[in-house]
């Protein structure tokens, strides 16, 4: 698992962002960080990382935002989840937000149907990736996401990440305290998210809603 600070100015408030499969900072780099430090995790080929988790103790306020497959991955990182898991979250816990994902993202009822997921792996290539990226949006994708994509991720790396994600199992004790669901999600179907969370859609968007926002605080 890789990480990158999108903003690091020793601010009192921190947003920890778990990105979706195959993504990099291009999906959120337009968002204004304001007075938040923003730490992004991505590339889940392995859940191991050399990030020093003790650094989280420096920030009096910590917020977690997870999107897509990141919703599951964020629940698995033990040095992180102790700050957010009920009933005894650490002092300074802020919002814990799940966006267009579930804790069972590869599931016939609560996520992507396993057969569809396996077919995606089997047929994954440049054309398949461009089709996937187009499907993330319910309108014309932003320029950076129009084929050929400007994502700085190697396709072989994306494929191995897709395979690795099948082997991760969520921590059922983890709880998000805010959930955002798009009404037209073609990746993790909206109906699957409704079934898992028990709430109705509250975003008018496709799987990737970030370009409807201008700053990180709007997601909290």
């Amino acid at each position: 698992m890789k990480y990158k600070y999108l903003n690091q100015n020793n601010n009192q408030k921190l947003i920890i962002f778990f990105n979706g499969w195959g993504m990099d900072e291009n999906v959120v780099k337009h968002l204004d960080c304001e007075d938040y430090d923003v730490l992004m995790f991505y590339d889940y080929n392995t859940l191991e990382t050399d990030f020093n988790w003790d650094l989280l103790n420096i920030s009096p306020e910590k917020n977690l935002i997870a999107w897509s497959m990141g919703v599951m991955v964020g629940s698995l990182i033990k040095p992180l989840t102790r700050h957010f898991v009920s009933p005894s979250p650490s002092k300074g816990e802020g919002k814990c937000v799940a966006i267009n994902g579930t804790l069972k993202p590869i599931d016939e009822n609560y996520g992507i149907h396993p057969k569809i997921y396996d077919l995606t792996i089997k047929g994954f290539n440049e054309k398949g990736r461009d089709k996937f990226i187009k499907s993330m949006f319910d309108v014309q994708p932003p320029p950076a996401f129009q084929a050929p994509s400007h994502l700085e991720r190697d396709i072989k790396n994306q494929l191995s990440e897709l395979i690795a994600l099948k082997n991760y199992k969520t921590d059922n004790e983890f709880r998000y305290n805010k959930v955002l669901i798009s009404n037209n999600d073609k990746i993790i179907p909206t109906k699957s998210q409704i079934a898992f969370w028990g709430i109705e859609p509250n975003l008018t968007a496709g799987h990737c809603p970030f370009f409807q926002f201008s700053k990180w605080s709007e997601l909290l």
Side-chain angles (χ1 to χ4, degrees):
M1 185 168 64
K2 298 178 181 177
Y3 67 91
K4 181 176 183 178
Y5 275 97
L6 305 183
N7 192 47
Q8 188 178 21
N9 289 310
N10 295 316
N11 287 308
Q12 296 292 297
K13 298 184 290 185
L14 172 68
I15 291 175
I16 304 156
F17 174 57
F18 277 81
N19 211 335
W21 163 79
M23 296 291 110
D24 59 24
E25 67 268 25
N26 280 288
V27 76
V28 290
K29 69 179 184 180
H30 66 284
L31 295 174
D32 186 352
C33 297
E34 301 175 285
D35 57 346
Y36 290 87
D37 282 352
V38 179
L39 171 64
M40 178 185 71
F41 288 93
Y42 66 109
D43 190 347
Y44 309 127
N45 273 282
T46 173
L47 298 185
E48 296 180 359
T49 177
D50 62 356
F51 179 73
N52 180 5
W53 296 105
D54 290 338
L55 293 176
L56 297 184
N57 297 323
I58 297 173
S59 303
E61 179 188 315
K62 291 171 282 291
N63 302 275
L64 175 63
I65 297 177
W67 171 53
S68 191
M69 287 292 180
V71 173
M72 173 185 67
V73 175
S75 77
L76 299 174
I77 311 304
K78 297 303 182 183
L80 168 67
T81 56
R82 70 170 181 263
H83 293 281
F84 296 98
V85 174
S86 299
S88 300
S90 299
K91 183 179 180 182
E93 177 201 15
K95 289 288 181 64
C96 190
V97 185
I99 303 173
N100 287 337
T102 75
L103 295 177
K104 296 182 178 181
I106 307 170
D107 186 275
E108 58 185 280
N109 297 312
Y110 300 124
I112 303 168
H113 197 290
K115 290 183 179 179
I116 294 176
Y117 195 90
D118 288 340
L119 286 172
T120 302
I121 291 174
K122 184 177 180 180
F124 190 68
N125 52 30
E126 293 280 357
K127 184 177 179 180
R129 177 171 71 171
D130 289 339
K131 182 179 179 181
F132 171 86
I133 291 173
K134 184 177 180 180
S135 297
M136 292 198 310
F137 302 92
D138 63 341
V139 295
Q140 182 74 5
F145 288 86
Q146 294 176 16
S149 170
H150 295 295
L151 287 173
E152 298 170 9
R153 293 285 303 275
D154 178 81
I155 194 165
K156 291 183 179 179
N157 175 267
Q158 289 176 314
L159 176 57
S160 60
E161 182 187 10
L162 197 64
I163 295 169
L165 284 163
K166 286 188 63 178
N167 299 317
Y168 303 147
K169 302 299 180 183
T170 195
D171 182 348
N172 290 324
E173 294 183 1
F174 193 82
R175 296 291 182 270
Y176 286 90
N177 54 34
K178 181 177 179 179
V179 176
L180 299 177
I181 300 176
S182 289
N183 69 330
N184 191 25
D185 195 324
K186 300 172 186 174
I187 305 299
I188 300 180
T190 298
K191 64 179 182 180
S192 298
Q193 296 182 54
I194 293 171
F196 184 83
W197 298 110
I199 66 171
E200 292 299 311
N202 45 20
L203 290 176
T204 302
H207 185 64
C208 179
F210 296 111
F211 292 92
Q212 295 189 6
F213 300 91
S214 62
K215 50 191 177 182
W216 283 97
S217 60
E218 293 173 339
L219 296 166
L220 295 174

